[in-house]
Amino acid sequence: AIPVRSSRLPLSDAMPAPAHLFPLIRNCEISRICSTVCYCHHKHLCCLSSHFAHSHFRDAPQKKFAALYRPKENFNYFIHARDYASTPQRFYLTPPQVNSILKANEYSFKVPEFDGKNVSSVLGFDSNQLPANAPIEDRRSAATCLQTRGMLLGVFDGHAGCACAQAVSERLFYYIAVSLLPHETLLEIENAVESGRALLPILQWHKHPNDYFSKEASKLYFSSLRTYWQELIDLNSGETTDVKEALINAFKRLDNDISLEAQVGDPNSFLNYLVLRVAFSGATACVAHVDGVDLHIANTGDSRAMLGVQEEDGSWSAVNLSYDHNAQNEREVKRVKTEHPKSEEKSLVKQDRLLGLLMPFRAFGDVKFKWSIELQKRVIESGPDQLNANEYTKFIPPNYHTPPYLTAEPEVIHHKLRPQDKFLVLATDGLWETMHRQDVARIVGEYLTGVHHQQPIAVGGYKVTLGQMHGLLAERRARISSVFEDQNAATHLIRHAVGNNEFGTVDHERLSKMLSLPEELARMYRDDITIIVVQFNSHVIGACQNEEL
Amino acid sequence: AAGMFLRLLSDVRWQAANPKWRRMTGSRRSTSSTAEPHPVALPEQAQVVICGGGIMGTSVAYHLSKMGWKDIVLLEQGRLAAGTTRFSAGIVSAARHMSLELKMADYSNKLYQQLEQETGVSTGYVKTGSISLAQTQDRLISLKRIASSLNVMGIPCEIITPKQVAQLHPLINIHDLVGAMYVPEDALVSPANVSLALATAASRNGVQIHERTSVSHVAVQNGHVTGVETDRGQIRCQYFVNCAGQWAYELGHSGKEPVNIPLHACEHFYLLTHPLKEPLSSNLPTVVDPDGRIYIRNWQGGILSGGFEKNPKPLFTEGRNQLEIHNLQEDWDHFEPLLSALLRRMPDLEALQIMQLVNCPESFTPDMRCIMGESPTVRGYFVLAGMNSAGISYGGGAGKYLAEWMVNGYPSENVWPLDLKRFGALQSSRTFLRHRVMEVMPLMYDLKVPRWDFQTGRQLRTSPLYDRLDAQGARWMEKHGFERVKYFVPPGKDLLDLDQSKTFYKPDWFDIVGSEVKCCKEAVCVIDMSSFTKFEISSTGDQALESLQYLFSNDLDVPVGHVVHTGMLNEKGGYENDCSIARLSKRSFFMISPTDQQVHCWAWLKNRLPDDSNLTMEDVTWKYTALNLIGPRAVDVLSELSYAPITPDHFPSLFCKEMSVGYANGIRVMSITHTGEPGFMLYIPIEYALHVYNEVMNMGQKYGIRNAGYYALRSLRIEKFFAFWGQDLDAFTTPMECGREFQVKLEKGMEFIGQEALLEQKQNGVYKRFTMFILEDHDTDMDLWPWWGEPIFRNGRYVGKTTSSAYSYTLERHVCLGFVQHFDEKTGEELVVTTDFVNQGEYEIDIAGQRFQAKAKLYPFSSLFTHRRRKDEMELSGYQGE
């Protein structure tokens, strides 16, 4: 079975007109379609959409897997779509219903001001996620470092289940925080643990109620973390910690721990199954560490960090602060190829996927792409029955000769914040697939400043009638008013990502349709979307800059 | 008509378009850009330098030169008529609320009509008429009020039905209309050409015009204009006229001696379209749809339509700014509500093709009235600017008044409502102006209801008691930046919100003010009157008395401790100010004037008091809080607060004593009120204000004391026939005309300003008479309330207008005050008004077209009041017995 990432089915491509989606479902033996989808989705931990896209538009290489998905039925789906396209029956969510869906996961945090002077370069952040998978496979985290300065924010896109993304979202920031701690603090913490005293708090989390931590694994996770800091204490180099290095070490260490925990297993059968699920599923991570004007982005996989910059004329532009680790990134392809013998060159990347299977070229977990075949077999065999029964875990990727093929090592980009850098968007690929970064920068920028730099209309030499102009203006006004529905920049962005029509304005009808898709169908039209929008304090950044000068 | 199109859209190459002009100015270039820019050198000296070649500057030049002043230089930084004037919509309309503005517009219309004949310059004048539409009954009332004013001025005007509207204009959707006003003589002009015509006529009369010359600042010596600095050198002059339009503020502040001209620019948008398939006729009436906030005129077979949106875009807050000038572009999103209104009004225009959306800044003033007159600080510095986008309508009239002002020393009309001196330095903050004009611009088309207050730029000047009063339910209005209480809303009672309380009928505060009035009449009330302007004038010797005796009409040589009501008259005997003066000592006087006199009165006295270092005048307005104890029990309250005897024997009316009240010493107590009721004014050094107020309220409790506001005061003073300066009295009203001969020292053989004029009036009689009218068949609950400016009819003939009005809670009738004139039935000539003429007539007051019978009185009621009071006192004592 096949992972996971693919381009989503665009509504307009799939059908003659988006408005006809619902009649289609009703008339097209919905149970049959659903069962197909469920089958694919749950049993094979795979996204139907990839198959749809490929089976429909591609040929041979997919055949082997396509057979598994019963392509005929899927094909029927499209045929029916055309047959029933003109049925006029409609059902839409009302705007309040749409809003309650969009706002279910929204979270905002404002950095408290002290004595009226905000000492943090971060004003606060808005975050939100919109599930397409059930349950959602994306995770997000945000925390303030308490023993060092700075704030950590991250989005994690899981695949083949959410276990890995969940574990990374709980654990990664502790690994980073510990990596950043000075020697004395590490000693202090270790002594406290040793003597059973209260620990210094390391992180202050900023969590939405839906963002849970698994209680069962906390002991296991803690002991792995403790081992890590004990090693750090032993290794004491006496040098001050470099943020970039700390980030890389933390990523690699956590992935290593995930791998080790799965190999070692746990006497508790629940935990044993959990660590295996974590290791066999995968997750990308895009993490920002902000400390004063120093912004570090550590990225593993194809989530993305983007800086919103306000130009002197007030307009918005986007600066990428991460590189996607996928087949579109030539350097990444080159890296993978240099790490393996030339004989594998052709099989390494197929259909823009690693070994023809995995879209991200770097990820946490995914031991199927990291362990030797022997190790995989040994672990699966000695593992619980559930694991054994799982087709996906048993399946060994084709052309699997010189593992590991996958790494969790992040690429770290350091950026010195400038006053014109107004915000940072961290988002999983669910957003970037639907929106261009330039639009993201504009929409968020205009939302945060409350100013709408719509391109002014100029009549110029064109022939425009009063009536045409009137219609155009009414539409532009509606666009502005849509902004005021949201109190959260991330929600606003999701509204656009899901509801944008061809004019770049939120079309309620479309939004309503997209959100009322049954769980099983949603995944075909969109991916999970997780967004964090961090707003910077230009005054503090300006002041810091001046100090440094 | 094609010419007009060019005028509006292309740069005005007016010399080329007008060969006559080129001939006159001789050496003028024929090609615009290649030739040397300044062929004619600036003169070294001129009597008058006018800055600004728009409609205002050229109109002033035109009128000055017509009146015989020839030595005039007009400087324009760019080209003549190239600024706001060029972009103006060119509508000349007399549909104005204020009669002075109406007169200016009427004069302008007549002037422009004959201008083409006079100058040979085509002005594009077309008499199209105008239709003002009403979507609501309130709007129709507002229009009817204007119609009443227009009709008595002899300007044809008609209230018409929606059907008639459709007949006058084929494109108007009339379904949502309740009526309209049609003014058939309103006109359209090409604004730039009017300006050029005025310039042409002026230059024929000898005015020198220099384009591409900017004034950098005005040179001042000893408080008098001495010259003008330009980018082409200096011109010495005696008079400077600032007609710089939206740049007038900056120019005023450019010199060492700043002249504050409170105006601020806002972007103004209008739309031009291509012609209709069947081009609109050029004499199709202009349409004003104030409820839709738009105006629509025919233009080149298409239309020109603009408006005054609710959310104006002010600009140039920090002065002229290249970026902002550059950004002055079409803003369709901003124009959208106006476009919607236009298409709603004329749905057939949907298919009409757009030509351009013009963005031209207009300047607005803090009170929506234009600014003219002489600077209070720099003599010879005149201003005419801030037209609130009615520059073309006012241009002729305003220019005439200002020219008269300069040549004669005063204009031919009372222009106090437009006088620069109604403002002071306190209106010079750019933040204030920016906020205020954002309120003023939408007001252009808002409903004008009585007792309207600005909402922005408030809480600037306040009494120390402001918070105390506010906590007790005070509702505030503003005068000259000072917050004054209108009335107090009793606890637990809530009034309608602001928008709903806009009414032409009985207002929601009627009963509240009624109870305040009742308390003033039966017990005692306290009114904070701190806003009054207060001056102290003193000298080492007799200089103060001697000077003041000449400047004021009443005899000030009274024993120390006396208070004198007196006018401050001009040469024609008219009231420049009406004030109370207390003689504090042999050599010092304490003068109390209306709030808005602060700048005007100061300038008037400064300019006339001898330059003597031993004679000092100080503005002490801010030093004193003034409390008015008003009502029959005031004397009791005051006696309990002071050991000094307050009985009428010891403290008769019109006396002033410095005494202690409570713990506080040095309180100036005067036995006067401004309403005719018994009572006292307490002038309290501000640090004692709260103490004295608390003492008064505590002590007054047993006498039933309560707070009252200006609305109660107004009702009281109007039923007592007390005239107020600024409302009833102005520079064109003499004491003789308002029954105040007794306040003039004509018999004492002393010389004072205005004496001759008064003597002549005494001999020959007066031409108008201040009269009190009691409305007879007016239903307070159901009928429209009078406001001011209502026409008065005597035996069916128009004889004058009301100046103020109020409901008298004592008479239970409306009382209007106003002037009765006597026009000859045949010639319309003004005749002497005798007592008999006033008394022997049947009167009617016209409120928005409806006439109410009224009874005229020349003297206040006295018997009625004493009678009632005696009865009330009995009731009150009975009440206290319980």
Side-chain angles (χ1 to χ4, degrees):
Chain A
I2 303 307
V4 161
R5 359 254 25 272
S6 86
S7 55
R8 238 40 63 191
L9 264 180
L11 274 172
S12 48
D13 285 356
M15 283 167 286
H20 302 130
L21 180 63
F22 275 90
L24 163 113
I25 291 165
R26 223 172 24 84
N27 293 306
C28 194
E29 295 160 272
I30 194 159
S31 58
R32 197 158 52 104
I33 290 180
C34 287
S35 70
T36 315
V37 174
C38 294
Y39 171 76
C40 297
H41 185 68
H42 293 303
K43 209 158 183 197
H44 301 277
L45 291 160
C46 167
C47 172
L48 182 64
S49 60
S50 68
H51 155 66
F52 264 12
H54 293 276
S55 67
H56 196 53
F57 300 114
R58 296 186 182 202
D59 42 19
Q62 285 284 322
K63 260 183 191 158
K64 181 175 164 192
F65 302 102
L68 248 129
Y69 298 117
R70 291 193 247 157
K72 271 180 188 165
E73 286 193 22
N74 290 316
F75 207 68
N76 284 344
Y77 179 95
F78 288 97
I79 292 164
H80 281 289
R82 293 189 191 279
D83 284 354
Y84 292 92
S86 56
T87 316
Q89 192 73 33
R90 286 179 195 197
F91 158 73
Y92 295 131
L93 298 174
T94 63
Q97 287 172 320
V98 163
N99 284 344
S100 77
I101 292 174
L102 287 179
K103 293 178 181 190
N105 291 318
E106 70 180 15
Y107 176 81
S108 288
F109 174 75
K110 199 172 174 291
V111 174
E113 291 181 24
F114 299 102
D115 305 325
K117 282 186 179 172
N118 194 332
V119 292
S120 169
S121 58
V122 174
L123 276 173
F125 69 86
D126 290 339
S127 77
N128 198 355
Q129 39 186 207
L130 180 71
N133 291 303
I136 185 169
E137 293 179 347
D138 278 5
R139 292 294 184 270
R140 58 183 157 167
S141 292
T144 306
C145 298
L146 294 175
Q147 301 307 323
T148 55
R149 295 186 310 162
M151 199 166 181
L152 286 164
L153 305 115
V155 294
F156 312 98
D157 184 351
H159 49 264
C162 60
C164 186
Q166 174 63 33
V168 173
S169 75
E170 288 178 41
R171 303 175 73 182
L172 181 58
F173 286 8
Y174 280 115
Y175 280 72
I176 296 171
V178 162
S179 310
L180 287 167
L181 287 179
H183 187 65
E184 307 80 57
T185 318
L186 286 172
L187 273 178
E188 203 177 320
I189 291 173
E190 173 58 21
N191 290 338
V193 176
E194 193 64 45
S195 56
R197 279 185 284 121
L199 267 182
L200 284 173
I202 298 175
L203 291 174
Q204 186 199 347
W205 292 94
H206 311 297
K207 286 198 298 186
H208 187 273
N210 292 358
D211 301 341
Y212 63 94
F213 276 12
S214 59
K215 281 205 182 95
E216 299 79 6
S218 60
K219 255 192 185 158
L220 173 70
Y221 290 170
F222 180 75
S223 84
S224 296
L225 181 68
R226 187 179 173 193
T227 313
Y228 177 43
W229 82 53
Q230 284 169 339
E231 281 176 30
L232 285 177
I233 290 171
D234 294 343
L235 280 171
N236 177 22
S237 56
E239 286 168 25
T240 47
T241 335
D242 175 58
V243 179
K244 182 173 175 176
E245 214 170 296
L247 285 165
I248 294 174
N249 290 340
F251 271 60
K252 284 163 77 176
R253 177 69 185 208
L254 174 59
D255 193 48
N256 203 39
D257 284 356
I258 288 172
S259 172
L260 272 178
E261 285 155 9
Q263 290 174 39
V264 173
D266 196 284
N268 175 327
S269 67
F270 178 83
L271 273 185
N272 194 32
Y273 183 44
L274 176 71
V275 295
L276 285 167
R277 274 190 296 142
V278 169
F280 275 91
S281 61
T284 70
C286 186
V287 173
H289 178 265
V290 198
D291 177 8
V293 294
D294 289 307
L295 170 64
H296 285 85
I297 303 289
N299 183 46
T300 286
D302 56 2
S303 290
R304 201 180 284 173
M306 184 211 87
L307 196 62
V309 182
Q310 187 162 33
E311 305 295 339
E312 268 176 21
D313 65 357
S315 66
W316 296 94
S317 62
V319 174
N320 271 351
L321 287 183
S322 66
Y323 301 106
D324 297 350
H325 298 137
N326 57 19
Q328 277 70 50
N329 183 343
E330 279 178 30
R331 271 195 309 155
E332 241 350 66
V333 175
K334 220 178 188 175
R335 174 185 67 81
V336 172
K337 288 187 175 168
T338 54
E339 286 172 1
H340 297 277
K342 215 161 166 82
S343 55
E344 291 184 45
E345 195 165 298
K346 282 187 178 160
S347 59
L348 271 174
V349 180
K350 282 184 170 176
Q351 290 98 49
D352 286 349
R353 286 151 188 263
L354 192 63
L355 298 177
L357 295 172
L358 194 64
M359 281 191 80
F361 279 25
R362 301 189 193 192
F364 282 94
D366 279 330
V367 291
K368 298 174 59 54
F369 296 84
K370 290 174 180 164
W371 289 352
S372 64
I373 297 177
E374 297 74 40
L375 181 58
Q376 290 191 35
K377 282 187 172 157
R378 180 165 60 77
V379 170
I380 290 167
E381 274 162 24
S382 63
D385 298 342
Q386 302 105 304
L387 193 67
N388 248 319
N390 190 316
E391 294 278 326
Y392 170 68
T393 43
K394 271 187 174 165
F395 168 77
I396 301 287
N399 306 310
Y400 197 78
H401 307 298
T402 52
Y405 288 89
L406 195 63
T407 174
E409 176 170 341
E411 210 173 349
V412 179
I413 292 182
H414 176 225
H415 177 80
K416 283 254 181 219
L417 288 172
R418 309 155 299 170
Q420 64 264 40
D421 300 334
K422 301 296 182 189
F423 59 89
L424 174 74
V425 178
L426 299 175
T428 55
D429 60 343
L431 174 71
W432 307 112
E433 279 170 7
T434 55
M435 289 185 87
H436 190 266
R437 59 193 165 103
Q438 188 55 47
D439 294 330
V440 171
R442 182 182 55 80
I443 288 167
V444 176
E446 289 175 358
Y447 174 82
L448 292 178
T449 52
V451 180
H452 300 273
H453 289 276
Q454 288 194 358
Q455 200 64 34
I457 302 181
V459 173
Y462 297 106
K463 289 186 175 175
V464 185
T465 68
L466 293 176
Q468 287 167 337
M469 179 59 82
H470 187 226
L472 186 60
L473 294 175
E475 192 236 302
R476 283 162 69 93
R477 213 157 68 128
R479 183 189 316 195
I480 287 175
S481 66
S482 78
V483 171
F484 301 109
E485 287 181 74
D486 298 317
Q487 276 88 54
N488 182 304
T491 310
H492 186 62
L493 206 43
I494 291 178
R495 189 187 294 278
H496 274 273
V498 179
N500 261 10
N501 59 17
E502 53 271 40
F503 307 111
T505 54
V506 173
D507 174 349
H508 175 76
E509 207 172 288
R510 184 188 170 90
L511 187 59
S512 161
K513 256 181 309 187
M514 288 294 271
L515 294 179
S516 46
L517 289 169
E519 280 177 356
E520 299 79 13
L521 278 178
R523 191 64 182 85
M524 292 189 291
Y525 293 95
R526 53 186 167 87
D527 194 357
D528 293 335
I529 299 177
T530 298
I531 300 172
I532 299 179
V533 177
V534 187
Q535 206 182 343
F536 296 120
N537 188 334
S538 303
H539 299 290
V540 171
I541 290 169
C544 291
Q545 237 182 8
N546 290 339
E547 274 170 34
E548 286 186 6
L549 289 173
Chain B
M4 200 161 104
F5 163 66
L6 279 171
R7 292 283 171 210
L8 276 161
L9 282 184
S10 64
D11 219 353
V12 181
R13 309 231 162 110
W14 71 292
Q15 305 91 334
N18 175 14
K20 272 189 192 163
W21 171 264
R22 215 160 60 222
R23 203 168 59 243
M24 279 178 314
T25 49
S27 59
R28 287 238 156 212
R29 64 196 177 278
S30 49
T31 52
S32 49
S33 54
T34 48
E36 52 175 309
H38 300 298
V40 181
L42 289 186
E44 281 183 12
Q45 150 125 35
Q47 186 185 12
V48 183
V49 172
I50 300 169
C51 172
I55 182 77
M56 290 304 149
T58 51
S59 175
V60 171
Y62 172 88
H63 286 100
L64 278 177
S65 65
K66 277 234 151 158
M67 292 179 75
W69 283 21
K70 305 290 184 192
D71 188 9
I72 299 168
V73 175
L74 189 151
L75 305 177
E76 161 59 43
Q77 60 171 350
R79 299 280 197 75
L80 275 183
T84 299
T85 301
R86 174 162 75 100
F87 287 112
S88 156
I91 300 167
V92 186
S93 170
R96 306 283 163 191
H97 286 273
M98 205 169 68
S99 63
L100 179 61
E101 291 175 341
L102 194 152
K103 280 179 193 164
M104 292 199 299
D106 185 43
Y107 172 83
S108 303
N109 193 332
K110 295 187 167 111
L111 173 70
Y112 302 159
Q113 191 174 5
Q114 54 83 45
L115 206 54
E116 186 162 340
Q117 201 181 8
E118 180 186 339
T119 61
V121 178
S122 137
T123 55
Y125 183 95
V126 185
K127 200 170 271 185
T128 59
S130 78
I131 313 170
S132 303
L133 308 177
Q135 293 184 27
T136 65
Q137 287 298 338
D138 271 351
R139 178 68 67 184
L140 194 59
I141 292 167
S142 182
L143 293 178
K144 282 176 177 171
R145 291 187 62 95
I146 297 176
S148 291
S149 274
L150 287 171
N151 279 327
V152 299
M153 296 266 313
I155 301 169
C157 168
E158 232 185 309
I159 295 294
I160 57 176
T161 63
K163 259 193 182 164
Q164 289 171 291
V165 172
Q167 284 161 5
L168 285 167
H169 200 300
L171 292 171
I172 297 183
N173 162 24
I174 58 165
H175 297 300
D176 55 351
L177 299 182
V178 297
M181 178 177 72
Y182 179 48
V183 184
E185 305 215 325
D186 279 354
L188 292 178
V189 295
S190 156
N193 289 19
V194 166
S195 201
L196 299 179
L198 291 170
T200 304
S203 95
R204 262 183 221 156
N205 282 333
V207 174
Q208 297 181 55
I209 298 175
H210 295 266
E211 295 181 296
R212 297 176 190 276
T213 309
S214 13
V215 175
S216 61
H217 68 267
V218 176
V220 176
Q221 254 171 28
N222 301 325
H224 207 293
V225 169
T226 57
V228 173
E229 281 293 342
T230 78
D231 55 351
R232 294 175 58 207
Q234 196 186 39
I235 307 174
R236 278 176 283 122
C237 64
Q238 289 94 60
Y239 294 94
F240 175 73
V241 188
N242 182 341
C243 295
Q246 59 185 325
W247 314 119
Y249 175 94
E250 259 186 292
L251 180 58
H253 280 262
S254 63
K256 278 187 195 130
E257 197 106 11
V259 174
N260 180 41
I261 303 157
L263 55 82
H264 192 294
C266 281
E267 293 179 42
H268 174 63
F269 295 89
Y270 63 78
L271 171 82
L272 298 174
T273 72
H274 289 278
L276 272 74
K277 269 203 188 112
E278 200 176 312
L280 287 184
S281 138
S282 67
N283 55 17
L284 202 64
T286 299
V287 176
V288 179
D289 181 3
D291 299 303
R293 306 191 156 276
I294 50 165
Y295 58 81
I296 310 155
R297 56 160 283 195
N298 75 73
W299 183 80
Q300 291 297 300
I303 60 146
L304 179 162
S305 172
F308 299 99
E309 62 273 24
K310 273 185 175 160
N311 52 336
K313 294 167 77 178
L315 80 168
F316 303 132
T317 303
E318 285 158 28
R320 190 187 310 226
N321 171 332
Q322 278 309 318
L323 184 73
E324 282 187 288
I325 292 175
H326 184 73
N327 285 342
L328 273 177
Q329 283 164 356
E330 53 191 325
D331 183 344
W332 282 99
D333 294 302
H334 190 71
F335 193 70
E336 190 265 342
L338 301 181
L339 179 59
S340 297
L342 171 65
L343 289 177
R344 177 176 157 187
R345 186 53 53 219
M346 297 186 180
D348 295 346
L349 298 185
E350 283 236 342
L352 191 56
Q353 203 180 312
I354 295 165
M355 176 173 280
Q356 198 188 357
L357 184 65
V358 180
N359 179 356
C360 73
E362 295 270 0
S363 43
F364 294 87
T365 62
D367 57 1
M368 219 182 2
R369 304 197 297 251
C370 76
I371 297 172
M372 67 161 72
E374 192 176 12
S375 156
T377 47
V378 181
R379 301 211 71 182
Y381 192 122
F382 283 81
V383 177
L384 185 57
M387 289 297 142
N388 298 290
S389 75
I392 300 305
S393 287
Y394 298 155
K400 181 182 99 167
Y401 289 148
L402 193 79
E404 289 170 350
W405 201 329
M406 294 172 68
V407 173
N408 303 333
Y410 49 87
S412 58
E413 281 285 338
N414 166 39
V415 295
W416 169 249
L418 314 179
D419 194 329
L420 172 63
K421 291 194 277 290
R422 73 188 185 273
F423 297 117
L426 67 95
Q427 283 94 349
S428 66
S429 148
R430 286 308 271 176
T431 315
F432 165 79
L433 290 171
R434 182 181 172 91
H435 290 179
R436 178 55 69 82
V437 298
M438 286 176 75
E439 184 181 3
V440 163
M441 182 165 148
L443 264 184
M444 304 295 299
Y445 279 161
D446 277 350
L447 204 56
K448 311 284 188 301
V449 294
R451 301 162 297 267
W452 189 87
D453 300 305
F454 285 103
Q455 303 301 308
T456 53
R458 294 289 298 270
Q459 291 182 320
L460 181 56
R461 302 167 75 203
T462 57
S463 142
L465 303 176
Y466 180 86
D467 283 343
R468 280 297 307 273
L469 302 179
D470 198 54
Q472 295 176 73
R475 292 289 181 272
W476 302 90
M477 61 182 185
E478 170 250 4
K479 184 91 175 183
H480 202 58
F482 211 109
E483 295 292 332
R484 310 201 294 185
V485 181
K486 293 192 282 192
Y487 48 81
F488 288 84
V489 179
K493 194 170 162 138
D494 226 350
L495 289 186
L496 297 172
D497 66 49
L498 194 77
D499 259 5
Q500 286 175 299
S501 66
K502 283 186 172 181
T503 177
F504 291 98
Y505 294 90
K506 182 173 149 182
D508 53 358
W509 45 256
F510 181 80
D511 294 328
I512 293 175
V513 173
S515 64
E516 286 177 13
V517 166
K518 190 162 186 261
C519 188
C520 287
K521 291 202 164 285
E522 296 172 353
V524 55
C525 278
V526 57
I527 303 181
D528 184 345
M529 299 178 74
S530 306
S531 70
F532 277 179
T533 299
K534 307 173 250 321
F535 292 165
E536 262 177 28
I537 300 151
S538 50
S539 60
T540 50
D542 284 340
Q543 301 99 318
L545 178 66
E546 280 168 16
S547 313
L548 295 183
Q549 282 288 51
Y550 177 67
L551 290 170
F552 290 88
S553 58
N554 207 347
D555 188 5
L556 296 175
D557 193 6
V558 289
V560 170
H562 277 249
V563 183
V564 178
H565 276 310
T566 177
M568 182 175 87
L569 308 183
N570 55 34
E571 281 73 10
K572 296 171 293 151
Y575 278 100
E576 289 296 332
N577 186 5
D578 182 33
C579 47
S580 307
I581 297 179
R583 190 165 193 184
L584 297 177
S585 72
K586 275 254 175 238
R587 289 157 186 175
S588 71
F589 296 85
F590 185 61
M591 172 182 170
I592 300 136
S593 330
T595 310
D596 49 2
Q597 276 281 355
Q598 199 167 17
V599 179
H600 172 66
C601 181
W602 180 267
W604 179 272
L605 292 176
K606 264 282 166 209
N607 289 337
R608 284 164 181 80
L609 283 173
D611 195 11
D612 179 349
S613 59
N614 292 323
L615 176 64
T616 58
M617 177 166 77
E618 191 190 355
D619 184 344
V620 294
T621 303
W622 61 276
K623 284 187 177 174
Y624 292 94
T625 296
L627 288 182
N628 190 187
L629 277 179
I630 180 169
R633 295 289 168 175
V635 60
D636 301 309
V637 176
L638 204 57
S639 330
E640 293 215 28
L641 285 171
S642 180
Y643 284 100
I646 309 286
T647 58
D649 296 341
H650 292 93
F651 208 149
S653 190
L654 289 175
F655 257 65
C656 171
K657 272 186 194 171
E658 205 161 280
M659 53 198 262
S660 354
V661 175
Y663 300 153
N665 194 21
I667 315 292
R668 282 179 192 161
V669 178
M670 298 186 199
S671 49
I672 57 168
T673 62
H674 297 271
T675 58
E677 298 297 319
F680 299 90
M681 287 296 303
L682 276 57
Y683 286 91
I684 309 157
I686 50 166
E687 66 265 39
Y688 299 141
L690 197 58
H691 173 76
V692 172
Y693 176 78
N694 288 340
E695 288 292 301
V696 165
M697 291 310 273
N698 287 337
M699 204 52 80
Q701 227 161 26
K702 61 179 167 187
Y703 300 103
I705 198 166
R706 56 169 294 171
N707 292 302
Y710 270 76
Y711 281 7
L713 192 84
R714 179 185 167 83
S715 168
L716 288 168
R717 71 102 180 161
I718 287 175
E719 74 181 13
K720 280 273 176 138
F721 202 12
F722 265 51
F724 259 33
W725 192 90
Q727 278 180 43
D728 309 305
L729 306 181
D730 59 39
F732 285 76
T733 311
T734 69
M736 301 300 176
E737 293 161 348
C738 57
R740 289 190 177 178
E741 299 93 313
F742 65 93
Q743 285 182 8
V744 182
K745 53 192 169 197
L746 276 182
E747 315 298 333
K748 302 209 174 160
M750 264 176 289
E751 203 191 334
F752 63 92
I753 301 179
Q755 190 179 24
E756 275 176 41
L758 294 188
L759 279 172
E760 195 200 307
Q761 277 196 336
K762 194 177 160 89
Q763 209 153 33
N764 302 335
V766 295
Y767 290 88
K768 62 179 179 182
R769 195 63 208 266
F770 193 51
T771 313
M772 173 173 175
F773 296 94
I774 294 97
L775 295 190
E776 299 278 300
D777 56 349
H778 183 271
D779 184 332
T780 303
D781 293 321
M782 303 301 294
D783 286 327
L784 288 171
W785 274 33
W787 183 3
W788 55 271
E790 288 89 12
I792 303 165
F793 292 90
R794 178 185 175 278
N795 299 341
R797 292 179 59 84
Y798 170 70
V799 289
K801 281 187 172 179
T802 63
T803 50
S804 54
S805 76
Y807 181 78
S808 162
Y809 293 87
T810 321
L811 298 167
E812 292 171 344
R813 283 261 174 283
H814 262 287
V815 176
C816 299
L817 307 183
F819 287 92
V820 171
Q821 285 163 284
H822 187 183
F823 302 104
D824 186 279
E825 293 198 16
K826 281 174 199 142
T827 62
E829 187 196 351
E830 284 188 58
L831 302 175
V832 169
V833 178
T834 62
T835 309
D836 282 349
F837 178 81
V838 175
N839 286 337
Q840 295 163 1
E842 297 289 324
Y843 288 90
E844 284 173 312
I845 308 284
D846 175 330
I847 307 174
Q850 198 181 349
R851 292 192 188 179
F852 295 93
Q853 288 170 24
K855 204 163 159 183
K857 285 181 65 68
L858 282 171
Y859 300 97
F861 293 97
S862 48
S863 54
L864 180 73
F865 284 91
T866 43
H867 168 72
R868 282 187 70 93
R869 187 166 307 146
R870 212 169 290 129
K871 192 172 135 239
D872 292 343
E873 270 168 11
M874 274 158 58
E875 278 169 9
L876 195 70
S877 56
Y879 171 74
Q880 282 185 334
E882 289 170 20

